[in-house]
Amino acid sequence: MPKAKLDYAFVATAECEPGKTKTDWYDETITGFVLECRASGGRTYYLRYQDQGGRQKQFKIGRYQDVRFADAKKRALQLRSEVVMGGDPGATKALVKSIPLYSELAAMHLADAKLHQRSYADTEMYVRRHILPKWGRTRLTDINSRSVAQWLSDKQASGLAPATVEKIRVIFGRSFVLGSRWDVPGCDRNPTRGVPRKPLNNARERFLSAEEAARLRLAVAESQNTQLQHIVGLLLLTGARVRELLDARWEHVDVERRAWFIPTSKTGKPRYVPLSSAALEILETLPRFKGCPWLLPNPETLKPFVSIRHGWLRAIRVARLPGLRIHDLRHSAASFMVNSGVDLFAVGKVLGHASYQSTQRYSHLANDTLLRAVEAGAAKQAL
């Protein structure tokens, strides 16, 4: 174990001793500071030490050609101080290396979501399109609340809707919640917590008038998608969610009881939707396909439509209803029921709301109905 005063001049000319594959030159001043010289010409700085259990360890500081001697010596002093204070530089380095990249945590998150989440496609899209490009190659412990807040702010400044930015934040935070549950290193702190959030106002409710609904029905009747007129008609008459209708099966329709059973809804609970005479008339006109269980399949694939966006956009253009969303048909169905005098509790049951509060958004429509009632009463008294 040869010793030497390691300085710039010595390490610049140090060589492996003749007949050996390597020689370790130990510094005379800093305990454990070593220059390893190999017969091949390679020279590397190390700190060698004993951990608290008495085991011999070494910490690689860097190669001679990569690290200036002054920096290597300074690093050796820092590491030696850490050892004297009871630390273990090697263990700390191993722990850092054990922290996964966010891409690894994201893969675990998506694998779990695929098993349990009905909206897996949405989660996968947000992770792939928004989160991975920014954080995929970052170690979990290098992601902090300040950088996340700035990133989300930049997302909103780029033109994304506040609700979309909030969705990204929730999915990103969910990764760390799952990681903590699975004891993934680096997930003990969730960087999305503490990020300031602006209040969201997503209340965008469009209610079709009877005249607008009539225009829409005429437009979809002319659509190249021959099923679109039936889809729109049933959505207006049942208040169902579009995915519930596209995935509906004939076996769940009971014409005699005038009921449509939805086994799985957004709330996670099954429900029955009552079928009006008008809805039953549409069902009677639906085309049947041999061996096809779906109520409104794509005639070309005999499977549920993945999307009806193309036909829908053309229909609302023809009907002169710009900006109308297909989800607005659900609101419109509710408005027609409320304005016909149906109480909010019954409307909520038809729509499958999990709580009465969800139906309260239509309370102003009920007030309009009551106002018309008192106006009619006042007019009668004036006669």
Side-chain angles (χ1 to χ4, degrees):
M1 186 175 70
K3 291 187 176 183
K5 182 181 180 181
L6 298 187
D7 54 21
Y8 176 80
F10 180 84
V11 300
T13 58
E15 295 180 348
C16 179
E17 294 177 317
K20 295 184 178 180
T21 57
K22 71 170 185 173
T23 299
D24 294 333
W25 297 98
Y26 281 79
D27 187 32
E28 294 177 346
T29 57
I30 302 175
T31 304
F33 183 30
V34 179
L35 175 68
E36 180 189 272
C37 296
R38 291 192 172 269
S40 60
R43 284 168 286 177
T44 306
Y45 299 111
Y46 290 94
L47 181 78
R48 294 192 178 145
Y49 63 96
Q50 286 187 343
D51 65 11
Q52 294 299 306
R55 290 166 294 191
Q56 187 73 24
K57 289 187 175 182
Q58 72 175 12
F59 186 98
K60 181 179 178 180
I61 296 173
R63 296 186 303 171
Y64 167 77
Q65 59 266 40
D66 297 330
V67 181
R68 296 187 308 167
F69 173 75
D71 294 332
K73 183 176 181 180
K74 182 178 180 181
R75 181 62 172 148
L77 284 169
Q78 293 172 341
L79 293 171
R80 183 62 194 171
S81 297
E82 184 179 341
V83 171
V84 171
M85 296 298 292
D88 186 344
T92 303
K93 187 175 182 180
L95 177 61
V96 171
K97 286 187 175 181
S98 73
I99 304 295
L101 304 178
Y102 175 73
S103 58
E104 299 172 65
L105 179 62
M108 298 168 66
H109 180 173
L110 291 177
D112 179 76
K114 197 168 188 178
L115 292 175
H116 307 293
Q117 196 172 329
R118 294 183 68 239
S119 57
Y120 167 78
D122 288 341
T123 299
E124 188 277 334
M125 181 275 291
Y126 281 110
V127 170
R128 169 174 43 83
R129 185 176 298 177
H130 296 286
I131 305 177
L132 282 177
K134 172 65 177 178
W135 304 108
R137 297 184 178 182
T138 306
R139 293 203 180 274
L140 300 181
T141 48
D142 293 334
I143 304 174
N144 58 63
S145 297
R146 185 170 179 272
S147 58
V148 170
Q150 183 60 55
W151 168 61
L152 293 175
S153 178
D154 292 343
K155 282 288 183 183
Q156 188 158 338
S158 70
L160 290 182
T164 301
V165 175
E166 175 62 8
K167 183 71 173 179
I168 293 171
R169 187 198 68 81
V170 169
I171 292 175
F172 192 39
R174 178 65 176 168
S175 293
F176 286 87
V177 170
L178 292 172
S180 177
R181 182 183 303 170
W182 299 327
D183 295 325
V184 176
C187 290
D188 53 315
R189 180 183 52 82
N190 190 331
T192 66
R193 289 178 182 164
V195 173
R197 288 175 284 162
K198 295 181 180 179
L200 296 178
N201 182 13
N202 290 331
R204 180 193 181 280
E205 295 168 2
R206 172 83 172 270
F207 305 99
L208 291 177
S209 66
E211 188 272 334
E212 288 175 329
R215 292 208 315 262
L216 180 61
R217 286 192 174 95
L218 288 175
V220 295
E222 299 173 359
S223 175
Q224 293 182 348
N225 181 348
T226 56
Q227 296 281 48
L228 188 59
Q229 61 178 323
H230 307 308
I231 293 170
V232 168
L234 287 171
L235 289 176
L236 281 170
L237 292 169
T238 63
R241 299 177 179 89
V242 63
R243 194 70 254 169
E244 293 172 341
L245 185 59
L246 296 183
D247 292 337
R249 294 170 174 263
W250 281 108
E251 65 186 273
H252 294 146
V253 175
D254 191 329
V255 175
E256 291 186 4
R257 294 186 178 181
R258 302 178 61 170
W260 163 31
F261 177 63
I262 300 178
T264 305
S265 64
K266 182 180 178 180
T267 62
K269 297 179 181 180
R271 79 176 196 276
Y272 283 92
V273 176
L275 297 171
S276 64
S277 298
L280 290 174
E281 289 178 8
I282 293 179
L283 291 175
E284 290 176 2
T285 63
L286 293 182
R288 298 279 194 129
F289 301 93
K290 186 177 180 180
C292 179
W294 312 105
L295 200 68
L296 290 156
N298 183 328
E300 296 180 1
T301 64
L302 298 186
K303 293 181 180 180
F305 284 97
V306 175
S307 172
I308 56 173
R309 177 178 173 80
H310 180 73
W312 173 257
L313 291 178
R314 184 180 184 281
I316 61 174
R317 186 169 62 250
V318 171
R320 305 187 308 281
L321 296 169
L324 183 70
R325 306 172 305 169
I326 198 161
H327 190 72
D328 293 329
L329 302 186
R330 179 170 164 85
H331 297 317
S332 298
S335 74
F336 289 135
M337 285 186 278
V338 172
N339 284 323
S340 297
V342 180
D343 67 80
L344 292 179
F345 178 79
V347 172
K349 292 292 287 184
V350 172
L351 297 181
H353 285 159
S355 65
Y356 181 71
Q357 286 75 14
S358 299
T359 318
Q360 278 293 97
R361 73 182 74 174
Y362 306 115
S363 59
H364 67 284
L365 298 173
N367 290 336
D368 292 343
T369 302
L370 295 175
L371 180 59
R372 286 198 301 271
V374 295
E375 289 287 1
K380 189 72 172 177
Q381 293 176 48
L383 295 177

